[in-house]
Amino acid sequence: MNAAPVAPVAVEDLQCAYMPVWEVKRGALTTYVCLARGNQTEASLYEAHKTLFAGQAAEEKLRMDIGVLNYVIDELKDMEAAGRKLFVVCPVQLETLHNFKNYERYKAACDAIPLSCRPFLIFLVMMDEQMRLPTKETYWFAAPLKQYCCQVFSELLMRKDMNFQYIKHAGIDAVGVRFHKTSGSEQDAINMLTAFDSRAKYFKIRKSFVFGVETLSATTSLICAGFDYLGGGAIHDDVAHPDTVHRYRYEDLVSELLPADKTDIPDQG
């Protein structure tokens, strides 16, 4: 059963925190996803954000999306003033971007992003589990967003009809999913995700991610599968602000799986 809709949260009451993301090839946690917690009690900040938006009307999703965006803009300004150079990921709902009027309002809010901060901003398009829009109608908005950020990531649903060719042509830089064991084993999920990564890379989508990683075994398997970004409880606890380059919790155990040549930050282009 679907969860009951959550009451909208006033923009001024949005409480946000950050999920550190392990950038595998660099061997460091350099990327931070800003997520709204709301009044939820889920252990996962990512799931709390998803729950907060689930079932809301399109107007409410737009309002909260802009609230999170403004939170990110303030963080980027603070980072610039302090000389911190990390990447901040701003989630935005697919429904906000697919509704033309709401998309224009969201882009107007993006105009407030300082030019000097845009090389450190990544947009993450979040999928609503209930949306079943044809893929070729869904990803037309990525290119216009590029003027405000360095990359556009998109969460996908594990669906057989997902056409990676449309997504590639739309300019999406990275695709990924939430880790789901569903009714099968962790190994079943790993097998599905390995096929997902291979298919995305086949269509020249350069990067891939998995969020919701909770075990060391899943982490090592996903590194071996070729994923570029990993986030979740097994990677690092949530943090209040992207203050520094954090260490991966099991860095010593998986260092042999990582490439020897790591580059300096930043380079998300």
Side-chain angles (χ1 to χ4, degrees):
M1 292 180 62
N2 295 325
V6 178
V9 175
V11 170
E12 60 272 17
D13 293 333
L14 278 175
Q15 299 296 316
C16 294
Y18 292 84
M19 177 180 69
V21 174
W22 172 253
E23 191 171 352
V24 174
K25 291 183 175 62
R26 292 175 191 240
L29 293 146
T30 63
T31 305
Y32 293 79
V33 184
C34 183
L35 296 164
R37 189 182 300 277
N39 297 318
Q40 303 308 303
T41 58
E42 286 92 337
S44 165
L45 180 63
Y46 195 78
E47 293 300 325
H49 185 100
K50 299 282 289 189
T51 300
L52 185 65
F53 280 83
Q56 303 293 354
E59 188 71 18
E60 291 298 335
K61 290 181 179 178
L62 168 68
R63 190 178 59 81
M64 292 192 291
D65 273 333
I66 291 177
V68 174
L69 172 65
N70 289 336
Y71 195 98
V72 167
I73 292 173
D74 289 342
E75 187 71 59
L76 288 168
K77 290 178 179 177
D78 289 344
M79 285 175 52
E80 182 179 33
R84 289 179 281 134
K85 294 184 177 180
L86 299 163
F87 298 101
V88 179
V89 180
C90 181
V92 56
Q93 300 299 305
L94 171 62
E95 190 170 352
T96 292
L97 301 177
H98 198 265
N99 179 306
F100 181 76
K101 185 170 83 170
N102 287 351
Y103 180 44
E104 290 301 309
R105 290 170 62 185
Y106 189 78
K107 284 201 301 179
C110 289
D111 289 336
I113 304 169
L115 291 175
S116 57
C117 294
R118 296 180 186 187
F120 301 95
L121 174 64
I122 298 169
F123 281 113
L124 168 64
V125 182
M126 280 194 165
M127 297 285 288
D128 188 319
E129 300 282 356
Q130 303 307 312
M131 293 193 76
R132 290 293 183 269
L133 296 170
T135 308
K136 63 182 178 181
E137 296 179 9
T138 301
Y139 293 97
W140 54 268
F141 48 74
L145 282 179
K146 290 286 186 73
Q147 64 182 303
Y148 302 109
C149 65
C150 65
Q151 292 194 91
V152 177
F153 288 12
S154 182
E155 177 188 55
L156 301 181
L157 303 178
M158 293 291 282
R159 291 166 45 193
K160 293 181 180 180
D161 62 342
M162 184 57 65
N163 191 315
F164 284 91
Q165 189 168 8
Y166 288 137
I167 297 169
K168 168 63 179 176
H169 291 335
I172 299 292
D173 299 290
V175 294
V177 296
R178 287 181 290 164
F179 188 88
H180 286 292
K181 284 194 291 187
T182 61
S183 58
S185 66
E186 180 175 279
Q187 188 55 53
D188 290 336
I190 294 295
N191 293 340
M192 290 178 61
L193 290 168
T194 300
F196 173 92
D197 179 78
S198 297
R199 191 174 172 209
K201 301 291 175 58
Y202 176 82
F203 284 99
K204 310 299 183 188
I205 298 174
R206 294 189 302 124
K207 298 180 181 180
S208 56
F209 62 86
V210 180
F211 296 153
V213 182
E214 300 297 334
T215 66
L216 175 59
S217 59
T219 303
T220 54
S221 295
L222 293 169
I223 290 173
C224 293
F227 282 91
D228 301 276
Y229 301 93
L230 302 177
I235 307 303
H236 199 283
D237 296 330
D238 302 327
V239 297
H241 300 283
D243 293 324
T244 186
V245 178
H246 290 91
R247 281 192 50 163
Y248 167 48
R249 176 169 288 145
Y250 300 108
E251 182 175 345
D252 294 336
L253 295 178
V254 300
S255 59
E256 62 192 47
L257 301 174
L258 302 175
D261 55 330
K262 302 181 181 73
T263 55
D264 293 332
I265 308 166
D267 179 29
Q268 284 273 356

